[in-house]
Amino acid sequence: TRTPVNVTVTGAAGQIGYALLFRIASGQLLGPDTPIRLRLLEIPQAVKAAEGTAMELDDCAFPLLSGIDISDDASVAFDGCNVALLVGARPRTKGMERGDLLEANGGIFGPQGKAINDHAADDVRVLVVGNPANTNALIAQRHAPDVPAERFTAMTRLDHNRALSQLAKKTGVAVSEIRRLTIWGNHSATQYPDVFHAEVAGKNAAEAVNDEQWLADTFIPTVAKRGAAIIEARGASSAASAANAAVDHVHTWVHGTAEGDWTSAGVVSDGSYGVPEGLISSFPVTAKDGRFEIVQGLEINEFSRGRIDASVQELVDERTAVTELGLI
Ligand code: NDP
């Protein structure tokens, strides 16, 4: 039997955590042959709720789940951690300034980065889901100087999946027939879902759609504002789809992308496509042998250029803000 992989989930008692933990424990994150030990991190007042979720996990009798530990101490929760899913974050509340939000999250993601640096396993892989995800990932990464920077990633897979679904509807094909879609930039309203290199049933997607106005006025805003539309309809923010995207992100990272296809992830920029080095920005990425790689050499048209630059500028501004706050 294989040694269990330690999967740490922060904010485990939250909505996304509730949708995520059962998927992980059932084997959907790392595959049907990999036993898992769950390490749940929560703030002290939410530990009891996490214990309740752990009781339900026990009651599923998942064959792959070899144990569950719950802690409010990051150095315990990240001890030996192989995969870290950083879901818990300080949500923006009414009247809160952007600086306050960044500061509150700096207080969470800085210490978590340090705990990962000091206690996680050598092969640790980190996915940040909690918002503002890209900048939270940057803060954590900067507090983990001994961990290769490329192991810190931010989630844009939900945006990617939303874009796949919208494009499939528009063109009348199955999502499985769409390849090479890209989300660029920040996981925020400025993100840019790019269909110009995508293929729909083997045809160029922009040509298949043949409607630039639909792209600009319907597709892009629908994808970018989907989170708000779900809150409006459901009365609560998206949770199961966010959890699903987190599972997809890690599964792809570990198991790879299909030949000829790519996905989207927030990864540390190497300067590609004019994105300043060191920013954690969404790119088209392939995954192979447990590593993401930015797809190189794509031609960026004028329509795309302005949108990518605007979203990247927002990331630059967030980095400046957290630098000025002394958070990185
Ligand atoms: P959720 O589980 O709904 O969301 C968690 C985070 O994921 C939020 O930052 C949320 O951002 C973000 N997120 C990213 N993408 C999406 C998406 N597509 N849809 C919805 N959310 C998305 O939050 P809850 O409040 O239910 O739970 C948070 C838990 O985290 C609580 O149990 C709290 O105690 C815990 N927590 C733990 C910490 C720790 O372990 N140290 C620190 C802080 C909190 P957004 O706010 O923008 O929706």
Side-chain angles (χ1 to χ4, degrees), residues 10-11 13-16 41-43 46 87-89 91 108 112 129-131 158 162 187 237-238 242:
T10 75
Q15 278 214 88
I16 294 176
L41 180 66
E42 258 300 352
I43 52 178
V87 179
I108 295 167
Q112 289 185 1
V129 175
N131 279 316
L158 180 55
R162 285 168 171 167
H187 168 68
S237 64
S238 41

Side-chain angles (χ1 to χ4, degrees), residues 47-157:
V47 162
K48 185 147 185 270
E51 286 169 356
T53 305
M55 288 162 70
E56 282 202 78
L57 284 160
D58 282 344
D59 295 348
C60 294
F62 288 119
L64 290 171
L65 185 58
S66 76
I68 310 170
D69 311 299
I70 304 168
S71 181
D72 60 5
D73 180 345
S75 61
V76 173
F78 290 113
D79 187 36
C81 168
N82 305 106
V83 177
L85 299 164
L86 309 189
V87 179
R90 174 71 167 80
R92 186 174 207 143
T93 39
K94 234 179 145 191
M96 203 175 185
E97 299 289 335
R98 203 177 67 129
D100 301 336
L101 180 72
L102 292 170
E103 191 148 28
N105 280 300
I108 295 167
F109 288 86
Q112 289 185 1
K114 174 140 185 21
I116 289 168
N117 190 68
D118 295 349
H119 303 283
D122 286 344
D123 69 347
V124 68
R125 289 185 174 78
V126 183
L127 169 63
V128 177
V129 175
N131 279 316
N134 299 56
T135 296
N136 288 342
L138 179 71
I139 293 170
Q141 184 267 316
R142 291 293 191 87
H143 284 77
D146 304 329
V147 178
E150 65 184 38
R151 304 285 187 73
F152 284 83
T153 63
M155 187 167 94
T156 53
R157 186 63 171 263

